[in-house]
Amino acid sequence: MLSSLPPPTLSPAVPPYVKLGLTVAYTVFYSLLFIFVYAQLWLVLRYRHKRLSYQTVFLFLCLLWAALRAVLFSFYFRDCVTANTLGPFTFWLLYCCPVCLQFFTLSLMNLYFAQVQIRPSKRSTFSAGFLGVFLAVSLLFLVVNLTCALLVKMTKTETKTIVLVRVAINDTLFVLCAVSLAIYLFKIAKMSLANIYLESKVGEMGKSVKVFYC
């Protein structure tokens, strides 16, 4: 009785038309984000704003992130097999590097808001020390992700173990940075001069955005 039943078949979890629609939506979104951020960086150069600042570094990280995501999702239009069989470095660049860029952005926000609560007389000394910590933690995050991605693609090491190590380190660093940022924001909220300082900085950073909309 049971032997006469046909074998079960697997069907896609998401219908093809839904998958295509999501691919188009994500690709368009990332492409528009890339164009918008690129326009902001161009305006920084056009109106001769400070080229090396928190604003320009933040925008550059966003530009790279949007570009990598747009390239990745463009693979899924016609060549899904290629997207799943990329070489070691290309695999890391499209799948893992965006996560590193997100962590760099979070660390940059920590660096900026940590600087706000320091007295102007001590700001330069503190910035140098905290910048060293920021670079060291970011380098650790980058090395861990790059090493794990290459091990998955180039060796026969058990993938589950590598993924667990990478996730454990990534999540720990992300949580520590998020907690640190929350503490800085909590302290800044209690500072009387913080609002004035932040408003002046936001005003400087928003000049190019205002010009863009005009």
Side-chain angles (χ1 to χ4, degrees):
M1 189 79 178
L2 293 177
S3 61
S4 62
L5 295 177
T9 57
L10 295 176
S11 59
V14 180
Y17 66 90
V18 175
K19 184 185 298 184
L20 178 61
L22 290 174
T23 301
V24 172
Y26 279 118
T27 305
V28 171
F29 169 76
Y30 292 130
S31 300
L32 291 176
L33 179 61
F34 176 87
I35 294 172
F36 178 78
V37 176
Y38 181 83
Q40 299 305 305
L41 286 172
W42 182 84
L43 289 172
V44 169
L45 297 176
R46 173 66 176 80
Y47 293 97
R48 297 181 180 179
H49 294 294
K50 189 175 181 180
R51 295 188 178 184
L52 184 59
S53 63
Y54 288 103
Q55 177 194 10
T56 54
V57 175
F58 177 81
L59 289 174
F60 185 72
L61 291 174
C62 291
L63 186 74
L64 288 178
W65 183 83
L68 292 174
R69 287 304 188 193
V71 171
L72 175 62
F73 276 90
S74 65
F75 272 106
Y76 289 98
F77 280 109
R78 294 182 180 179
D79 206 356
C80 295
V81 177
T82 301
N84 295 322
T85 57
L86 296 171
F89 181 76
T90 308
F91 170 80
W92 173 83
L93 186 65
L94 294 181
Y95 286 95
C96 302
C97 186
V99 180
C100 296
L101 295 176
Q102 291 173 356
F103 182 79
F104 298 160
T105 304
L106 183 60
S107 299
L108 185 67
M109 294 172 65
N110 269 276
L111 181 62
Y112 174 73
F113 286 110
Q115 190 179 23
V116 171
Q117 63 175 334
I118 302 301
R119 295 178 182 179
S121 59
K122 298 181 179 180
R123 191 162 291 152
S124 58
T125 305
F126 175 83
S127 297
F130 200 84
L131 179 61
V133 175
F134 159 72
L135 292 176
V137 174
S138 299
L139 182 61
L140 173 63
F141 193 95
L142 177 65
V143 170
V144 168
N145 279 268
L146 179 59
T147 302
C148 291
L150 295 179
L151 286 176
V152 169
K153 284 292 184 177
M154 300 177 64
T155 67
K156 297 181 180 179
T157 309
E158 187 177 357
T159 304
K160 183 179 179 181
T161 304
I162 297 175
V163 172
L164 287 176
V165 171
R166 181 175 64 84
V167 170
I169 296 177
N170 284 2
D171 290 356
T172 300
L173 293 177
F174 263 113
V175 169
L176 290 176
C177 277
V179 171
S180 174
L181 182 61
I183 293 173
Y184 289 136
L185 292 176
F186 178 77
K187 290 181 178 180
I188 289 172
K190 294 187 174 183
M191 294 171 57
S192 58
L193 298 178
N195 291 336
I196 300 175
Y197 180 82
L198 287 174
E199 286 175 3
S200 65
K201 288 295 182 181
V202 171
E204 294 175 5
M205 294 174 64
K207 286 181 181 179
S208 61
V209 179
K210 292 180 181 178
V211 172
F212 179 80
Y213 282 113
C214 292

